PDB file of all heavy atoms in Angstrom:
ATOM      1  N   SER A   1     105.468 102.866 108.032  1.00 93.00           N
ATOM      2  CA  SER A   1     105.942 101.566 108.510  1.00 93.00           C
ATOM      3  C   SER A   1     106.280 101.624 109.999  1.00 93.00           C
ATOM      4  O   SER A   1     105.990 100.690 110.748  1.00 93.00           O
ATOM      5  CB  SER A   1     107.170 101.125 107.708  1.00 93.00           C
ATOM      6  OG  SER A   1     106.855 100.953 106.343  1.00 93.00           O
ATOM      7  N   VAL A   2     106.886 102.726 110.421  1.00 92.00           N
ATOM      8  CA  VAL A   2     107.198 102.906 111.839  1.00 92.00           C
ATOM      9  C   VAL A   2     105.913 102.979 112.657  1.00 92.00           C
ATOM     10  O   VAL A   2     105.808 102.388 113.738  1.00 92.00           O
ATOM     11  CB  VAL A   2     108.050 104.172 112.055  1.00 92.00           C
ATOM     12  CG1 VAL A   2     108.275 104.423 113.542  1.00 92.00           C
ATOM     13  CG2 VAL A   2     109.393 104.046 111.340  1.00 92.00           C
ATOM     14  N   ALA A   3     104.907 103.693 112.114  1.00 89.00           N
ATOM     15  CA  ALA A   3     103.617 103.799 112.803  1.00 89.00           C
ATOM     16  C   ALA A   3     102.932 102.436 112.900  1.00 89.00           C
ATOM     17  O   ALA A   3     102.269 102.130 113.895  1.00 89.00           O
ATOM     18  CB  ALA A   3     102.714 104.790 112.066  1.00 89.00           C
ATOM     19  N   LEU A   4     103.103 101.611 111.870  1.00 91.00           N
ATOM     20  CA  LEU A   4     102.477 100.285 111.859  1.00 91.00           C
ATOM     21  C   LEU A   4     103.017  99.401 112.981  1.00 91.00           C
ATOM     22  O   LEU A   4     102.295  98.534 113.492  1.00 91.00           O
ATOM     23  CB  LEU A   4     102.699  99.613 110.502  1.00 91.00           C
ATOM     24  CG  LEU A   4     102.145  98.197 110.322  1.00 91.00           C
ATOM     25  CD1 LEU A   4     100.641  98.159 110.589  1.00 91.00           C
ATOM     26  CD2 LEU A   4     102.444  97.674 108.920  1.00 91.00           C
ATOM     27  N   VAL A   5     104.263  99.594 113.360  1.00 93.00           N
ATOM     28  CA  VAL A   5     104.846  98.818 114.462  1.00 93.00           C
ATOM     29  C   VAL A   5     104.023  99.030 115.731  1.00 93.00           C
ATOM     30  O   VAL A   5     103.704  98.081 116.458  1.00 93.00           O
ATOM     31  CB  VAL A   5     106.310  99.225 114.710  1.00 93.00           C
ATOM     32  CG1 VAL A   5     106.868  98.504 115.935  1.00 93.00           C
ATOM     33  CG2 VAL A   5     107.160  98.917 113.489  1.00 93.00           C
ATOM     34  N   ILE A   6     103.647 100.272 115.982  1.00 89.00           N
ATOM     35  CA  ILE A   6     102.846 100.599 117.168  1.00 89.00           C
ATOM     36  C   ILE A   6     101.437 100.044 117.004  1.00 89.00           C
ATOM     37  O   ILE A   6     100.865  99.452 117.918  1.00 89.00           O
ATOM     38  CB  ILE A   6     102.796 102.121 117.380  1.00 89.00           C
ATOM     39  CG1 ILE A   6     104.209 102.671 117.539  1.00 89.00           C
ATOM     40  CG2 ILE A   6     101.944 102.468 118.601  1.00 89.00           C
ATOM     41  CD1 ILE A   6     104.279 104.188 117.526  1.00 89.00           C
ATOM     42  N   PHE A   7     100.870 100.218 115.802  1.00 87.00           N
ATOM     43  CA  PHE A   7      99.516  99.746 115.524  1.00 87.00           C
ATOM     44  C   PHE A   7      99.411  98.235 115.738  1.00 87.00           C
ATOM     45  O   PHE A   7      98.407  97.733 116.248  1.00 87.00           O
ATOM     46  CB  PHE A   7      99.134 100.099 114.087  1.00 87.00           C
ATOM     47  CG  PHE A   7      97.732  99.707 113.696  1.00 87.00           C
ATOM     48  CD1 PHE A   7      96.676 100.591 113.864  1.00 87.00           C
ATOM     49  CD2 PHE A   7      97.472  98.459 113.160  1.00 87.00           C
ATOM     50  CE1 PHE A   7      95.384 100.235 113.510  1.00 87.00           C
ATOM     51  CE2 PHE A   7      96.193  98.089 112.786  1.00 87.00           C
ATOM     52  CZ  PHE A   7      95.134  98.984 112.969  1.00 87.00           C
ATOM     53  N   SER A   8     100.442  97.503 115.344  1.00 90.00           N
ATOM     54  CA  SER A   8     100.423  96.041 115.434  1.00 90.00           C
ATOM     55  C   SER A   8     100.904  95.520 116.786  1.00 90.00           C
ATOM     56  O   SER A   8     101.045  94.301 116.965  1.00 90.00           O
ATOM     57  CB  SER A   8     101.273  95.432 114.320  1.00 90.00           C
ATOM     58  OG  SER A   8     102.619  95.855 114.433  1.00 90.00           O
ATOM     59  N   LEU A   9     101.168  96.431 117.718  1.00 89.00           N
ATOM     60  CA  LEU A   9     101.567  96.055 119.079  1.00 89.00           C
ATOM     61  C   LEU A   9     102.841  95.201 119.111  1.00 89.00           C
ATOM     62  O   LEU A   9     102.967  94.287 119.913  1.00 89.00           O
ATOM     63  CB  LEU A   9     100.419  95.297 119.781  1.00 89.00           C
ATOM     64  CG  LEU A   9      99.061  96.025 119.796  1.00 89.00           C
ATOM     65  CD1 LEU A   9      97.993  95.141 120.419  1.00 89.00           C
ATOM     66  CD2 LEU A   9      99.174  97.347 120.526  1.00 89.00           C
ATOM     67  N   TRP A  10     103.747  95.499 118.199  1.00 92.00           N
ATOM     68  CA  TRP A  10     105.049  94.845 118.144  1.00 92.00           C
ATOM     69  C   TRP A  10     104.930  93.331 117.885  1.00 92.00           C
ATOM     70  O   TRP A  10     105.761  92.548 118.313  1.00 92.00           O
ATOM     71  CB  TRP A  10     105.847  95.107 119.425  1.00 92.00           C
ATOM     72  CG  TRP A  10     106.222  96.535 119.579  1.00 92.00           C
ATOM     73  CD1 TRP A  10     107.374  97.133 119.171  1.00 92.00           C
ATOM     74  CD2 TRP A  10     105.425  97.590 120.170  1.00 92.00           C
ATOM     75  NE1 TRP A  10     107.340  98.483 119.462  1.00 92.00           N
ATOM     76  CE2 TRP A  10     106.155  98.784 120.080  1.00 92.00           C
ATOM     77  CE3 TRP A  10     104.163  97.617 120.770  1.00 92.00           C
ATOM     78  CZ2 TRP A  10     105.677  99.984 120.552  1.00 92.00           C
ATOM     79  CZ3 TRP A  10     103.682  98.825 121.238  1.00 92.00           C
ATOM     80  CH2 TRP A  10     104.443  99.996 121.129  1.00 92.00           C
ATOM     81  N   LYS A  11     103.893  92.930 117.150  1.00 93.00           N
ATOM     82  CA  LYS A  11     103.668  91.512 116.844  1.00 93.00           C
ATOM     83  C   LYS A  11     103.627  91.322 115.322  1.00 93.00           C
ATOM     84  O   LYS A  11     102.757  91.877 114.649  1.00 93.00           O
ATOM     85  CB  LYS A  11     102.359  91.034 117.470  1.00 93.00           C
ATOM     86  CG  LYS A  11     102.348  91.132 118.994  1.00 93.00           C
ATOM     87  CD  LYS A  11     100.998  90.771 119.578  1.00 93.00           C
ATOM     88  CE  LYS A  11     100.999  90.921 121.097  1.00 93.00           C
ATOM     89  NZ  LYS A  11      99.676  90.622 121.691  1.00 93.00           N
ATOM     90  N   PRO A  12     104.555  90.551 114.758  1.00 94.00           N
ATOM     91  CA  PRO A  12     104.644  90.388 113.296  1.00 94.00           C
ATOM     92  C   PRO A  12     103.371  89.864 112.636  1.00 94.00           C
ATOM     93  O   PRO A  12     103.002  90.318 111.553  1.00 94.00           O
ATOM     94  CB  PRO A  12     105.801  89.384 113.127  1.00 94.00           C
ATOM     95  CG  PRO A  12     106.627  89.558 114.351  1.00 94.00           C
ATOM     96  CD  PRO A  12     105.657  89.847 115.452  1.00 94.00           C
ATOM     97  N   LEU A  13     102.680  88.918 113.267  1.00 94.00           N
ATOM     98  CA  LEU A  13     101.466  88.371 112.661  1.00 94.00           C
ATOM     99  C   LEU A  13     100.326  89.390 112.660  1.00 94.00           C
ATOM    100  O   LEU A  13      99.567  89.482 111.699  1.00 94.00           O
ATOM    101  CB  LEU A  13     101.030  87.085 113.387  1.00 94.00           C
ATOM    102  CG  LEU A  13     101.973  85.888 113.229  1.00 94.00           C
ATOM    103  CD1 LEU A  13     101.387  84.658 113.913  1.00 94.00           C
ATOM    104  CD2 LEU A  13     102.234  85.587 111.756  1.00 94.00           C
ATOM    105  N   VAL A  14     100.224  90.165 113.732  1.00 93.00           N
ATOM    106  CA  VAL A  14      99.230  91.239 113.766  1.00 93.00           C
ATOM    107  C   VAL A  14      99.584  92.287 112.717  1.00 93.00           C
ATOM    108  O   VAL A  14      98.722  92.942 112.144  1.00 93.00           O
ATOM    109  CB  VAL A  14      99.161  91.882 115.164  1.00 93.00           C
ATOM    110  CG1 VAL A  14      98.159  93.035 115.189  1.00 93.00           C
ATOM    111  CG2 VAL A  14      98.784  90.839 116.205  1.00 93.00           C
ATOM    112  N   CYS A  15     100.872  92.413 112.449  1.00 94.00           N
ATOM    113  CA  CYS A  15     101.368  93.362 111.462  1.00 94.00           C
ATOM    114  C   CYS A  15     100.830  93.047 110.063  1.00 94.00           C
ATOM    115  O   CYS A  15     100.609  93.960 109.257  1.00 94.00           O
ATOM    116  CB  CYS A  15     102.893  93.333 111.466  1.00 94.00           C
ATOM    117  SG  CYS A  15     103.651  94.758 110.693  1.00 94.00           S
ATOM    118  N   VAL A  16     100.620  91.764 109.767  1.00 94.00           N
ATOM    119  CA  VAL A  16     100.069  91.379 108.464  1.00 94.00           C
ATOM    120  C   VAL A  16      98.673  91.986 108.301  1.00 94.00           C
ATOM    121  O   VAL A  16      98.357  92.586 107.265  1.00 94.00           O
ATOM    122  CB  VAL A  16     100.001  89.843 108.326  1.00 94.00           C
ATOM    123  CG1 VAL A  16      99.330  89.454 107.016  1.00 94.00           C
ATOM    124  CG2 VAL A  16     101.400  89.240 108.406  1.00 94.00           C
ATOM    125  N   PHE A  17      97.842  91.841 109.317  1.00 93.00           N
ATOM    126  CA  PHE A  17      96.500  92.423 109.290  1.00 93.00           C
ATOM    127  C   PHE A  17      96.579  93.948 109.284  1.00 93.00           C
ATOM    128  O   PHE A  17      95.872  94.622 108.531  1.00 93.00           O
ATOM    129  CB  PHE A  17      95.699  91.941 110.493  1.00 93.00           C
ATOM    130  CG  PHE A  17      94.413  92.686 110.719  1.00 93.00           C
ATOM    131  CD1 PHE A  17      93.308  92.468 109.900  1.00 93.00           C
ATOM    132  CD2 PHE A  17      94.313  93.632 111.734  1.00 93.00           C
ATOM    133  CE1 PHE A  17      92.135  93.167 110.094  1.00 93.00           C
ATOM    134  CE2 PHE A  17      93.135  94.336 111.946  1.00 93.00           C
ATOM    135  CZ  PHE A  17      92.034  94.106 111.119  1.00 93.00           C
ATOM    136  N   GLY A  18      97.461  94.491 110.128  1.00 91.00           N
ATOM    137  CA  GLY A  18      97.592  95.938 110.218  1.00 91.00           C
ATOM    138  C   GLY A  18      98.043  96.572 108.915  1.00 91.00           C
ATOM    139  O   GLY A  18      97.597  97.672 108.561  1.00 91.00           O
ATOM    140  N   SER A  19      98.904  95.892 108.185  1.00 93.00           N
ATOM    141  CA  SER A  19      99.382  96.435 106.908  1.00 93.00           C
ATOM    142  C   SER A  19      98.231  96.557 105.911  1.00 93.00           C
ATOM    143  O   SER A  19      98.177  97.505 105.128  1.00 93.00           O
ATOM    144  CB  SER A  19     100.487  95.549 106.335  1.00 93.00           C
ATOM    145  OG  SER A  19      99.998  94.263 105.991  1.00 93.00           O
ATOM    146  N   PHE A  20      97.312  95.591 105.940  1.00 92.00           N
ATOM    147  CA  PHE A  20      96.139  95.640 105.059  1.00 92.00           C
ATOM    148  C   PHE A  20      95.233  96.806 105.449  1.00 92.00           C
ATOM    149  O   PHE A  20      94.726  97.538 104.587  1.00 92.00           O
ATOM    150  CB  PHE A  20      95.375  94.321 105.133  1.00 92.00           C
ATOM    151  CG  PHE A  20      94.137  94.279 104.280  1.00 92.00           C
ATOM    152  CD1 PHE A  20      94.212  94.407 102.903  1.00 92.00           C
ATOM    153  CD2 PHE A  20      92.887  94.112 104.857  1.00 92.00           C
ATOM    154  CE1 PHE A  20      93.070  94.376 102.106  1.00 92.00           C
ATOM    155  CE2 PHE A  20      91.747  94.077 104.075  1.00 92.00           C
ATOM    156  CZ  PHE A  20      91.830  94.208 102.703  1.00 92.00           C
ATOM    157  N   VAL A  21      95.042  97.003 106.746  1.00 90.00           N
ATOM    158  CA  VAL A  21      94.235  98.125 107.228  1.00 90.00           C
ATOM    159  C   VAL A  21      94.860  99.451 106.814  1.00 90.00           C
ATOM    160  O   VAL A  21      94.172 100.368 106.333  1.00 90.00           O
ATOM    161  CB  VAL A  21      94.074  98.072 108.760  1.00 90.00           C
ATOM    162  CG1 VAL A  21      93.369  99.330 109.277  1.00 90.00           C
ATOM    163  CG2 VAL A  21      93.298  96.835 109.173  1.00 90.00           C
ATOM    164  N   PHE A  22      96.167  99.562 106.972  1.00 89.00           N
ATOM    165  CA  PHE A  22      96.863 100.777 106.569  1.00 89.00           C
ATOM    166  C   PHE A  22      96.711 101.016 105.072  1.00 89.00           C
ATOM    167  O   PHE A  22      96.552 102.151 104.621  1.00 89.00           O
ATOM    168  CB  PHE A  22      98.355 100.681 106.933  1.00 89.00           C
ATOM    169  CG  PHE A  22      98.686 101.237 108.288  1.00 89.00           C
ATOM    170  CD1 PHE A  22      97.814 101.090 109.348  1.00 89.00           C
ATOM    171  CD2 PHE A  22      99.880 101.903 108.518  1.00 89.00           C
ATOM    172  CE1 PHE A  22      98.105 101.593 110.598  1.00 89.00           C
ATOM    173  CE2 PHE A  22     100.188 102.424 109.765  1.00 89.00           C
ATOM    174  CZ  PHE A  22      99.299 102.261 110.802  1.00 89.00           C
ATOM    175  N   GLY A  23      96.792  99.924 104.294  1.00 89.00           N
ATOM    176  CA  GLY A  23      96.606 100.047 102.853  1.00 89.00           C
ATOM    177  C   GLY A  23      95.225 100.556 102.504  1.00 89.00           C
ATOM    178  O   GLY A  23      95.060 101.428 101.640  1.00 89.00           O
ATOM    179  N   LEU A  24      94.209 100.015 103.165  1.00 86.00           N
ATOM    180  CA  LEU A  24      92.826 100.453 102.935  1.00 86.00           C
ATOM    181  C   LEU A  24      92.665 101.946 103.221  1.00 86.00           C
ATOM    182  O   LEU A  24      92.030 102.677 102.451  1.00 86.00           O
ATOM    183  CB  LEU A  24      91.863  99.657 103.821  1.00 86.00           C
ATOM    184  CG  LEU A  24      91.617  98.186 103.461  1.00 86.00           C
ATOM    185  CD1 LEU A  24      90.788  97.525 104.555  1.00 86.00           C
ATOM    186  CD2 LEU A  24      90.908  98.066 102.114  1.00 86.00           C
ATOM    187  N   LEU A  25      93.245 102.378 104.331  1.00 85.00           N
ATOM    188  CA  LEU A  25      93.113 103.779 104.723  1.00 85.00           C
ATOM    189  C   LEU A  25      93.934 104.705 103.829  1.00 85.00           C
ATOM    190  O   LEU A  25      93.492 105.804 103.484  1.00 85.00           O
ATOM    191  CB  LEU A  25      93.548 103.946 106.185  1.00 85.00           C
ATOM    192  CG  LEU A  25      92.706 103.211 107.234  1.00 85.00           C
ATOM    193  CD1 LEU A  25      93.335 103.355 108.613  1.00 85.00           C
ATOM    194  CD2 LEU A  25      91.280 103.738 107.250  1.00 85.00           C
ATOM    195  N   TYR A  26      95.121 104.249 103.437  1.00 85.00           N
ATOM    196  CA  TYR A  26      96.036 105.103 102.685  1.00 85.00           C
ATOM    197  C   TYR A  26      95.504 105.442 101.290  1.00 85.00           C
ATOM    198  O   TYR A  26      95.708 106.548 100.792  1.00 85.00           O
ATOM    199  CB  TYR A  26      97.402 104.420 102.577  1.00 85.00           C
ATOM    200  CG  TYR A  26      98.483 105.307 101.999  1.00 85.00           C
ATOM    201  CD1 TYR A  26      99.062 106.310 102.767  1.00 85.00           C
ATOM    202  CD2 TYR A  26      98.933 105.137 100.685  1.00 85.00           C
ATOM    203  CE1 TYR A  26     100.052 107.131 102.250  1.00 85.00           C
ATOM    204  CE2 TYR A  26      99.923 105.942 100.165  1.00 85.00           C
ATOM    205  CZ  TYR A  26     100.478 106.938 100.945  1.00 85.00           C
ATOM    206  OH  TYR A  26     101.448 107.734 100.422  1.00 85.00           O
ATOM    207  N   ILE A  27      94.839 104.480 100.644  1.00 83.00           N
ATOM    208  CA  ILE A  27      94.355 104.714  99.280  1.00 83.00           C
ATOM    209  C   ILE A  27      92.840 104.924  99.222  1.00 83.00           C
ATOM    210  O   ILE A  27      92.242 104.898  98.150  1.00 83.00           O
ATOM    211  CB  ILE A  27      94.743 103.556  98.341  1.00 83.00           C
ATOM    212  CG1 ILE A  27      94.094 102.254  98.794  1.00 83.00           C
ATOM    213  CG2 ILE A  27      96.253 103.410  98.257  1.00 83.00           C
ATOM    214  CD1 ILE A  27      94.317 101.100  97.830  1.00 83.00           C
ATOM    215  N   ALA A  28      92.223 105.137 100.396  1.00 79.00           N
ATOM    216  CA  ALA A  28      90.764 105.303 100.442  1.00 79.00           C
ATOM    217  C   ALA A  28      90.303 106.464  99.561  1.00 79.00           C
ATOM    218  O   ALA A  28      89.275 106.374  98.881  1.00 79.00           O
ATOM    219  CB  ALA A  28      90.314 105.522 101.887  1.00 79.00           C
TER     220      ALA A  28
END
């Protein structure tokens, strides 16, 4: 979750997309 903050560039709406990407990668 902390890493996602950086990935999403500190933007909550980008975080929605980033969380899905992280999910895809985490359970790949």
Side-chain angles (χ1 to χ4, degrees):
S1 298
V2 175
L4 178 57
V5 175
I6 302 171
F7 182 91
S8 61
L9 306 176
W10 294 267
K11 298 175 182 178
L13 293 184
V14 178
C15 198
V16 176
F17 168 75
S19 65
F20 179 62
V21 173
F22 268 36
L24 288 172
L25 296 174
Y26 189 76
I27 63 174

